[in-house]
Amino acid sequence: LSNHKTTPAALKAKVSQKALDLFKDLNVMNHVEVEARYEIELEEYTKKIQIEGRVLGDIARNHVIPTAIRYQNTLIENVKGLKDIFGDEFKILAKEQINLIKEISGHIEGINSNVEAMTEARKKANALTDAQKMAESYCDKVKPYFEIIREHCDKLELLVDDETWTLTKYRELLFTR
């Protein structure tokens, strides 16, 4: 048995000459039926990755980032208050808040830049006419952004106050019924 690491590569094996001969010899399907199913499965894979990418971008930009910005604004107000009360001494007192503000900004930028890059990769993949090449493009060029974007979102989930975070946190999912 072959061991393909990606769905497009595994689906391509289905239409290899060896597989087509096997289906024909066993009287399971002829080459037209196998190739038709192959095209449908490629399209289904592509659509699923496309939908996942759109949903990921939507949740990241419309839920995660605004929540992080709200919390960041709370921290900024806290730092301003410390500066008003303590003057130059606030730099020492607000050091952690300032570091947190910077860290949140970095993750927000990471999400935005990677969502934009993922969208561009999707546009390029959608311009392809060959179903196999489109599926490979989604697999190799679009899907890798999922992990990067999710990593930034996960980091923000840990940084942002529970009261401010609008989505269910992973640790909360462990204890729901």
Side-chain angles (χ1 to χ4, degrees):
L1 290 174
S2 57
N3 182 13
H4 299 284
K5 303 293 183 203
T6 65
T7 300
L11 292 175
K12 193 173 187 177
K14 193 176 194 175
V15 292
S16 69
Q17 192 57 50
K18 187 177 175 182
L20 290 173
D21 291 343
L22 178 67
F23 283 127
K24 183 180 178 187
D25 291 345
L26 294 175
N27 217 15
V28 175
M29 290 184 276
N30 63 36
H31 76 91
V32 174
E33 293 170 315
V34 174
E35 289 173 8
R37 287 175 185 248
Y38 165 70
E39 290 286 328
I40 290 168
E41 289 169 340
L42 280 175
E43 185 178 335
E44 183 179 335
Y45 172 79
T46 300
K47 292 293 180 199
K48 284 182 179 180
I49 299 299
Q50 185 181 60
I51 290 167
E52 284 181 41
R54 286 181 175 172
V55 170
L56 176 63
D58 178 60
I59 290 172
R61 282 197 161 158
N62 296 317
H63 296 281
V64 174
I65 289 176
T67 302
I69 290 172
R70 271 194 303 280
Y71 183 62
Q72 192 177 43
N73 286 336
T74 301
L75 292 171
I76 290 169
E77 289 301 316
N78 178 266
V79 170
K80 285 180 182 177
L82 289 171
K83 184 177 181 181
D84 290 345
I85 294 171
F86 297 106
D88 285 340
E89 192 181 348
F90 91 97
K91 290 178 185 176
I92 298 166
L93 299 172
K95 181 181 174 190
E96 292 303 317
Q97 291 92 318
I98 292 169
N99 289 339
L100 195 52
I101 291 167
K102 288 177 184 177
E103 192 174 351
I104 289 170
S105 291
H107 290 301
I108 290 170
E109 190 283 324
I111 292 169
N112 270 328
S113 63
N114 284 292
V115 168
E116 286 175 18
M118 179 183 65
T119 302
E120 287 304 312
R122 262 197 352 251
K123 287 178 184 177
K124 288 178 184 174
N126 288 337
L128 300 172
T129 54
D130 179 75
Q132 179 69 35
K133 285 185 174 34
M134 185 183 287
E136 288 170 354
S137 182
Y138 266 96
C139 181
D140 299 334
K141 306 287 187 211
V142 176
K143 196 174 174 191
Y145 286 107
F146 292 9
E147 192 65 33
I148 298 166
I149 294 166
R150 179 169 175 200
E151 186 177 317
H152 285 292
C153 292
D154 289 349
K155 296 289 184 181
L156 285 174
E157 178 183 326
L158 295 173
L159 295 173
V160 173
D161 176 46
D162 286 352
E163 297 295 319
T164 308
W165 193 259
T166 57
L167 300 170
T168 305
K169 292 195 172 192
Y170 288 124
R171 69 174 181 270
E172 294 170 347
L173 289 174
L174 294 174
F175 300 105
T176 59
R177 290 184 180 234

